[in-house]
Amino acid sequence: MLNQQTMTDAPREVVLTNLHDTQSECISEQKRFNVVNCGRRWGKTRLGIDLVVERLLTGQPVGWFSPTYKMLEDVWRELVYILQPITEVKSEQQHRIQVIGGGVLDCWSLDAADAARGRKYSLVIVDEAAMVADLENIWNMILRPMLVDLKGAAWFLSTPKGRNGFYKLHLLGRDPESEEWKSWTYPTWKNPFIPFAEVEKLKDTMSEESYRQEILAEF
């Protein structure tokens, strides 16, 4: 539970769920650029929302990026709900929220990545990053320059989908000589709120390749 207070208002509370151990591990070990590769239902979007709220409460601008508008909508609704107690201005059309204290959240779809050019952020979250076409180019040409002004951070959150751009960014975080990058890999069952027996049953209905990718988070 996070509090924010203005000079004239009583404290307003933003209620978040408690992070599980491996989510907290990411928070404690984070570097400037972070790649979280995890199985389905591990809690990657929940981790991203927690990071967003923390940064907004410091009065900073944040950008949330999803592969498509359809994939953005569910996250947008959840962010609207969580941030409602501290929201000052909200635009459904622009997917933009300004909170008490000056923090601003912009939510974007990367199927029209150029529309976000010219913005500056203290934090960028790329959700379902493995599904972003041409992720490397979008990162280098559009997202990375957004972080220059404020020396901002970035998080790439996803279940793997072959050895694509997300995989290449993940390798940067595995390089021991990379001072700014950090990567993690977690299977679905590292989320203690998901019954392990249910995860095991998926072996009966999924191909081995699909299970290794979707549940074990193997590239």
Side-chain angles (χ1 to χ4, degrees), residues 25-37:
E25 189 172 84
C26 294
I27 297 293
S28 64
E29 296 178 355
Q30 66 180 289
K31 293 187 178 180
R32 185 178 182 189
F33 307 128
N34 306 277
V35 183
V36 182
N37 170 55

Side-chain angles (χ1 to χ4, degrees), residues 34 44-45 47-53 55 62-67 72 75 79 105-108 110 121-129 139 143 147 153-157:
N34 306 277
K44 56 187 178 294
T45 302
L47 172 64
I49 289 174
D50 193 87
L51 291 163
V52 165
V53 173
R55 193 62 64 104
V62 176
W64 181 287
F65 295 84
S66 292
L72 174 63
V75 177
L79 285 163
L105 169 67
D106 293 316
C107 295
W108 301 92
L110 286 174
Y121 295 117
S122 172
L123 173 68
V124 159
I125 304 285
V126 183
D127 194 26
E128 300 294 357
W139 163 242
L143 302 182
L147 305 175
W155 287 75
F156 300 87
L157 314 172

Side-chain angles (χ1 to χ4, degrees), residues 5 63 90 92 125 138 142 146 167-168 184 209 212:
Q5 186 173 12
K90 178 184 61 141
E92 289 284 347
I125 304 285
I138 288 174
I142 298 176
M146 295 176 176
Y167 171 71
K168 293 177 181 178
W184 302 265
E209 183 181 47
R212 290 173 61 188

Side-chain angles (χ1 to χ4, degrees), residues 14 42 51 60-61 65 106 112 114 122 128 156 158 170 214 218:
V14 177
W42 172 83
L51 291 163
Q60 299 294 311
F65 295 84
D106 293 316
D114 282 334
S122 172
E128 300 294 357
F156 300 87
S158 195
H170 184 264
E214 301 294 319
E218 295 182 7

Side-chain angles (χ1 to χ4, degrees), residues 41-84:
R41 307 303 302 157
W42 172 83
K44 56 187 178 294
T45 302
R46 174 54 55 190
L47 172 64
I49 289 174
D50 193 87
L51 291 163
V52 165
V53 173
E54 290 279 4
R55 193 62 64 104
L56 287 176
L57 292 180
T58 67
Q60 299 294 311
V62 176
W64 181 287
F65 295 84
S66 292
T68 65
Y69 274 110
K70 185 175 179 61
M71 298 178 73
L72 174 63
E73 285 304 316
D74 286 342
V75 177
W76 167 250
R77 285 191 291 269
E78 190 165 0
L79 285 163
V80 167
Y81 175 76
I82 289 172
L83 294 172
Q84 189 276 330

Side-chain angles (χ1 to χ4, degrees), residues 164-179:
N164 54 11
F166 178 67
Y167 171 71
K168 293 177 181 178
L169 294 182
H170 184 264
L171 291 181
L172 291 175
R174 290 298 189 189
D175 184 350
E177 297 184 2
S178 180
E179 296 181 356

